[in-house]
Amino acid sequence: MKSRLDKFRKILTEFSIDAMLISSPVNRRYLSGFEGTSGILLISRDEAILVTDFRYLEQAADQAGQFEIRRWQDDLYKSLAPIISETGWGKLGFEGRHVVYSTYQEMIEKLPVELVPVGDAVEKQRMQKSKSEIETMRRGAKVLDRAFEFILSYIKPGLPENELALELEIYLLRQGAEERSFRFIVASGERGAMPHGTASNRIMQEGDLVTIDYGAVFEGYATDMTRTLALGKADQKQREIYELVLEAQQEAARAVKPGIKASDLDAVARDIIDRAGYANYFGHGLGHGIGLETHEQPVLNPRSTTILEPGMTVTVEPGVYIKGWGGVRIEDMACVTAAGGEVLTASSRELAVIN
Ligand code: ZN
Ligand code: ZN
């Protein structure tokens, strides 16, 4: 936590501000360790203050050891005003991407300081995970692999999609998940053409391909993985498209390394799918950063200029979606290492045909 805070303080110089106000819950947790649902951080070169309400005073003192804890009463921004006056700060940065307009108006009205919008400095810092963050995500990925074994044992023709989603969620909670990362996608048969087809009451049938995209939060960190299965049998077209997506996914996963531009990594998978004639059927980016949030920086798509660096964790998830037919997606989590890349989710990627 101390090194995170020290690193973060560089933005004070970069933006010529005296202090920064952090209000987004994820960034607050990242910089302080405090997991409560209400609170504001004020960080200057010498001070680190966490302002929270009565309910969280004890938890804040326990979790945010680097921070001086202050209590807010009645009105948050009125409570902040005297703290800011005391310090004599002239310019206070705030998270321009997270503060809604009404809050901004309130800040202007109540805070005796010049307000400076700062973009996504904490999000940028969060891209490079520490060893312990990666270790946490590695543990989470292992649970997803065990959950895949559960899926293989549970799924069968005749089962509604949402029954599988429910049992999968219960399984993950029993394995120590804090919550699911997102609404699970269980998209069978023609529904597979919807990249984000969340589980419905459709009964899965023999001959269906089923795309299952799931993940859960472990020790604060999100996980995310997709496999596509066949029920009963798989015809030639299903096998061909599956093998195509698998080749694109594996080539892209192997290309994860420091120094590669995110758009070039996207192109590794996209070129393979384009050459096979399915250019119009892969309509989303290759993947996304993952960490305290399921979707965070860096974004992997044809427009992303981010250069991958060691410590970044991303998903690699190409797909092919054909209206009236269905779809295939395969997704793994990978981490950029000094030597190249490490795929964190290890479940089999061979097409499983469930009888
Ligand atoms: Zn996913
Ligand atoms: Zn994903």
Side-chain angles (χ1 to χ4, degrees), residues 185-342:
I185 290 160
V186 180
S188 62
E190 291 184 11
R191 292 192 76 249
M194 293 188 286
H196 272 193
T198 48
S200 75
N201 57 8
R202 183 181 185 277
I203 310 282
M204 296 184 275
Q205 292 161 23
E206 187 167 307
D208 283 350
L209 287 181
V210 187
T211 300
I212 304 158
D213 187 346
Y214 63 103
V217 178
F218 300 93
E219 300 166 66
Y221 285 79
T223 56
D224 183 10
M225 177 175 122
T226 306
R227 290 292 183 269
T228 300
L229 308 172
L231 293 187
K233 58 190 181 201
D235 64 25
Q236 202 192 336
K237 183 174 180 183
Q238 288 172 329
R239 286 182 189 278
E240 266 173 32
I241 292 179
Y242 187 90
E243 291 307 319
L244 173 65
V245 172
L246 180 59
E247 186 195 347
Q249 201 266 349
Q250 289 292 277
E251 286 300 320
R254 274 194 281 273
V256 170
K257 59 171 187 241
I260 190 170
K261 201 170 157 188
S263 56
D264 292 339
L265 185 59
D266 177 278
V268 170
R270 199 166 300 280
D271 288 350
I272 291 170
I273 291 173
D274 286 4
R275 276 202 302 275
Y278 290 97
N280 295 327
Y281 302 92
F282 173 26
H284 58 72
L286 177 69
H288 50 86
I290 182 164
L292 286 172
E293 289 177 291
T294 306
H295 294 99
E296 57 179 53
Q297 296 191 38
V299 175
L300 309 182
N301 68 25
R303 297 168 303 285
S304 174
T305 55
T306 309
I307 308 287
L308 296 197
E309 290 174 35
M312 289 183 177
T313 45
V314 296
T315 66
V316 178
E317 50 177 309
V320 165
Y321 313 91
I322 304 172
K323 195 165 188 290
W325 178 79
V328 173
R329 178 167 65 255
I330 301 166
E331 172 181 27
D332 283 305
M333 289 165 60
C335 168
V336 185
T337 65
E342 177 194 344

Side-chain angles (χ1 to χ4, degrees), residues 96-115:
R97 291 195 175 191
H98 297 290
V99 172
V100 299
Y101 184 65
S102 58
T103 302
Y104 177 62
Q105 283 180 310
E106 205 186 336
M107 286 163 69
I108 290 183
E109 199 183 300
K110 293 175 183 167
L111 300 183
V113 69
E114 183 186 337
L115 292 165

